[in-house]
């Protein structure tokens, strides 16, 4: 090692204090490019700049906590999927992050959009996304939602149960409409990810089981319905997946199902949707596959498996959410308090409390998600300390970042930016502890635009209509 730290022995001790995967960076002020929106840098004053805007300025003009999306980075990631998966249809999973403007970006970049509820449909349509480019998901769509989707001319409905098939038929008959349908199946694949976001194994609420025979029965049922035009099969095996092996097994099993369906009915299914779940880098421990490489791997697997089953290559679609909006977004917090807590091993941990927490990012509490962060308003030459960034809520589990190295001089008033916060943070926000939800802002070419304004206490008071 050529780099000599002045405080070498202190660093060695601090370095051992964190979890094994967490390495002590040589320079705490450095921003790892794989974690941040493309082009993120520090300006001459040491402030982090995203989309041409200094985060300190964002904090000054819009307050904290706040979510900031780099519009150009979001668009570039959407385009990378569209271009790499060139003859596929790409559905952006709106549940990851959605507003009218986000829907418009998705539309302008030529993608389709997945929605799950009336609310998501309404926002997507209000953003100008044509209904024909919407995929309607969910394991408990109401008759009202199905009716609305059909009235609007929704592109397709991804069916999740026999009761839903009944509802679709009823709505179609009432409206004189025909529904384009994919059947969501469970392939038994358990993707290598946290249990709560691994959705294709059998014992869970989504989809119809291939193993149990329900998937084939649902396909046959849809095929025989005069109201339904059956398009094909849908499989989504989980989220934050880094390897293609799970997809390979899912492809094999869905194609085998398509083959069984052909034998049973003489019909070859036109379409296969492989869902989303492509992993992103939250910390230095994550190394996602570049989108182009992912597309090449998928194409190879499909060609191989289709040949093996003697099936024509179906029309294909995928549904990335996190991989488009996640890395494009950061959360911005202000530090309120800092305190050291002595640990049993004689070391200490620095608790850094910020002005948000589990109400704007539930993921660490919900499924032990890991994040990293950086001091956003300045650089620091102070020694590193092992820190835990926590929120302001009344829960011991209100932890945003379990382990991260921050400069020892971090203090109230400093700003912290958390990369990888574009997906499943603001979209999952709650009003726990009667905290108003933070705004969603977009930065582009030095300008900040508000996509979702900050909730106010008046908003909360207005909802409370009791005596
Ligand atoms: C959540 C979800 C996605 C998107 O998952 P990401 O991990 O954000 O890519 C895609 N399809 C379905 C059916 C989903 O439920």
């Amino acid at each position: 090692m050529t780099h000599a730290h002045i405080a070498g022995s202190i660093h060695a001790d601090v370095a051992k204090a964190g979890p094994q995967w967490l390495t002590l960076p040589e320079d705490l002020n450095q921003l790892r490019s794989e974690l941040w929106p493309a082009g993120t840098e520090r300006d001459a004053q040491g402030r982090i700049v995203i989309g041409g805007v200094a985060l300190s300025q964002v904090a000054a003009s819009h307050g904290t906590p706040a979510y900031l999306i780099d519009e150009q980075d979001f668009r570039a990631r959407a385009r990378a999927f569209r271009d790499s998966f060139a003859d596929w249809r790409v559905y952006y999973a709106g549940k990851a992050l959605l507003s009218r403007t986000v829907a418009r970006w998705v539309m302008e970049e030529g993608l389709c959009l997945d929605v799950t509820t009336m609310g998501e449909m309404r926002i997507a349509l209000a953003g100008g996304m044509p209904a024909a480019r919407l995929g309607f998901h969910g394991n408990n769509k109401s008759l009202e939602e199905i009716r609305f989707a059909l009235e609007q001319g929704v592109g397709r409905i991804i069916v999740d149960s026999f009761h839903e098939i009944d509802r679709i038929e009823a709505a179609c008959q009432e409206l004189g409409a025909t529904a384009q349908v994919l059947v969501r199946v469970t392939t038994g694949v358990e993707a290598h990810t946290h249990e709560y976001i691994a959705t294709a194994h059998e014992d869970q609420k989504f989809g119809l089981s291939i193993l149990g025979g329900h998937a084939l029965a649902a396909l046959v049922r849809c095929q025989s319905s005069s109201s339904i035009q059956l398009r094909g099969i849908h499989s989504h095996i989980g989220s934050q997946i880094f390897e293609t092996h799970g997809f390979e097994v899912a492809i094999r099993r869905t194609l085998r199902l398509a083959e069984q369906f052909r034998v049973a009915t003489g019909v070859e299914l036109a379409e296969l949707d492989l869902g989303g779940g492509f992993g992103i880098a939250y910390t230095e421990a994550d190394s996602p596959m570049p989108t182009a490489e992912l597309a090449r791997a998928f194409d190879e697997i499909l060609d191989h498996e289709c040949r093996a089953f003697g099936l024509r290559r179906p029309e294909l679609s995928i549904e990335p959410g996190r991989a488009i909006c996640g890395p494009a977004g950061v959360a911005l917090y202000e530090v309120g308090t800092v305190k050291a807590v002595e640990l049993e091993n004689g070391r200490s941990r620095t608790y850094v409390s910020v002005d948000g927490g589990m109400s704007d990012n539930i993921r660490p509490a919900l499924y032990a998600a890991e994040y990293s962060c950086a001091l956003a308003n300045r650089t620091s030459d102070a020694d590193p300390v092992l820190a835990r960034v926590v929120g302001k809520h009344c829960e011991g589990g209100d932890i945003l970042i379990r382990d991260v190295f921050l400069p020892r001089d971090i203090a109230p008033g400093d700003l912290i930016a958390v990369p990888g916060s574009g997906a499943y943070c603001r979209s999952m926000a709650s009003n726990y502890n009667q905290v108003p939800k933070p705004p969603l802002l977009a930065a582009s070419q030095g300008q900040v635009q508000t996509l979702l304004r900050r909730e106010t206490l008046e908003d909360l008071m207005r909802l409370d209509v009791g005596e």
Side-chain angles (χ1 to χ4, degrees):
M1 190 163 139
T2 53
H3 187 97
H5 279 296
I6 297 162
S9 62
I10 297 171
H11 282 193
D13 192 46
V14 169
K16 276 185 283 180
Q20 254 182 357
W21 61 263
L22 186 68
T23 56
L24 184 62
E26 294 210 347
D27 178 2
L28 279 179
N29 302 309
Q30 202 192 331
L31 304 170
R32 289 172 178 268
S33 61
E34 64 272 24
L35 297 179
W36 297 84
T40 300
E41 57 182 10
R42 287 188 187 273
D43 64 10
Q45 298 158 63
R47 308 175 303 178
I48 295 180
V49 175
I50 290 178
V53 184
L55 295 184
S56 319
Q57 267 180 326
V58 175
S61 57
H62 292 78
T64 55
Y67 281 82
L68 182 77
I69 297 286
D70 182 325
E71 175 182 345
Q72 300 312 324
D73 189 74
F74 180 104
R75 286 180 180 272
R77 288 173 202 278
R79 274 199 301 276
F81 272 96
R82 189 198 63 198
D83 295 344
S84 301
F85 288 83
D87 60 348
W88 298 53
R89 234 171 311 163
V90 181
Y91 285 80
Y92 168 69
K95 69 176 198 250
L97 183 77
L98 192 63
S99 74
R100 289 193 298 181
T101 306
V102 169
R104 179 168 58 75
W105 295 345
V106 171
M107 179 197 53
E108 288 171 354
E109 297 305 336
L111 276 63
C112 303
L113 200 155
D114 272 347
V115 291
T116 315
T117 60
M118 181 70 88
E120 287 180 0
M121 268 189 284
R122 293 289 299 271
I123 296 288
L125 292 169
M129 179 59 78
R133 275 159 69 182
L134 294 182
F136 185 21
H137 273 277
N139 65 302
N140 186 16
K141 308 173 186 77
S142 70
L143 184 56
E144 186 198 3
E145 287 172 324
I146 291 169
R147 207 184 273 134
F148 179 79
L150 290 168
E151 279 168 355
Q152 297 297 315
V154 73
R156 59 195 207 173
I157 302 178
I158 293 83
V159 156
D160 197 273
S161 70
F162 288 98
H163 285 127
E164 184 184 337
I165 299 175
D166 294 342
R167 265 173 230 167
I168 291 172
E169 287 189 313
C172 282
Q173 274 151 29
E174 184 188 318
L175 300 167
T178 305
Q180 306 288 317
V181 159
L182 300 186
V183 172
R184 178 161 178 177
V185 305
T186 44
T187 56
V189 176
E190 195 160 351
H192 291 276
T193 182
H194 190 275
E195 186 185 358
Y196 300 150
I197 45 177
T199 54
H201 59 104
E202 298 292 329
D203 190 8
Q204 45 95 9
K205 72 174 186 170
F206 294 109
L208 290 145
S209 161
I210 295 181
L211 265 185
H214 305 300
L216 184 60
L219 289 169
V220 170
R221 163 94 196 270
C222 289
Q223 179 66 26
S224 67
S225 167
S226 58
S227 313
I228 289 175
Q229 184 164 8
L230 177 64
R231 299 287 310 160
I233 298 171
H234 177 281
S235 155
H236 173 72
I237 60 171
S239 274
Q240 189 59 359
I241 302 164
F242 291 102
E243 299 164 0
T244 53
H245 182 253
F247 290 104
E248 184 172 351
V249 178
I251 289 167
R252 194 171 305 140
R253 292 183 184 168
T254 48
L255 288 178
R256 186 181 301 142
L257 174 65
E259 170 57 14
Q260 286 168 352
F261 180 77
R262 182 173 69 174
V263 169
T265 63
V267 175
E268 195 160 323
L269 290 169
E271 209 170 323
L272 177 60
D273 186 312
L274 292 169
F278 314 113
I280 65 166
Y282 285 105
T283 71
E284 61 180 89
D286 302 323
S287 40
M289 225 189 232
T291 308
E293 213 172 293
L294 194 67
R296 266 196 303 279
F298 270 55
D299 277 327
E300 262 173 41
I301 294 168
L302 272 152
D303 287 344
H304 180 263
E305 296 298 329
C306 285
R307 226 175 298 126
F309 284 103
L311 290 165
R312 269 196 304 272
R313 189 179 150 113
E315 287 170 42
L316 295 159
S317 41
I318 45 162
E319 306 176 316
R322 181 195 317 268
I324 291 175
C325 62
V330 301
L332 184 60
Y333 301 102
E334 185 178 301
V335 174
T337 67
V338 179
K339 69 181 165 190
V341 172
E342 309 311 319
L343 306 179
E344 280 167 3
N345 57 14
R347 298 199 173 103
S348 82
R349 190 192 312 285
T350 301
Y351 275 79
V352 176
S353 296
V354 297
D355 51 358
M358 64 191 294
S359 61
D360 62 83
N361 184 356
I362 191 67
R363 296 186 67 254
L366 190 61
Y367 34 62
E370 307 267 14
Y371 284 90
S372 64
C373 71
L375 192 56
N377 54 312
R378 62 184 175 96
T379 53
S380 167
D381 295 328
D383 284 332
V385 288
L386 183 66
R388 180 162 289 174
V389 179
V390 297
K392 63 179 287 154
H393 294 281
C394 301
E395 286 282 341
D398 178 25
I399 294 167
L400 282 170
I401 306 172
R402 182 165 290 275
D403 296 292
V404 64
F405 291 112
L406 285 172
R408 186 176 293 280
D409 64 353
I410 190 159
D414 274 331
L415 296 174
I416 280 181
V418 180
S421 300
Y424 304 109
C425 293
R426 181 57 182 78
S427 66
M428 286 185 160
S430 76
N431 291 121
Y432 180 45
N433 285 139
Q434 301 293 351
V435 169
K437 291 175 195 162
L440 177 65
L441 311 169
S444 180
Q445 293 162 355
Q447 302 291 320
V448 182
Q449 182 196 354
T450 301
L451 308 191
L452 300 172
R453 70 159 169 81
R454 183 185 303 284
E455 277 185 352
T456 62
L457 289 170
E458 290 70 44
D459 290 328
L460 297 185
M461 294 305 290
R462 261 203 300 275
L463 287 171
D464 192 330
V465 295
E467 301 276 297

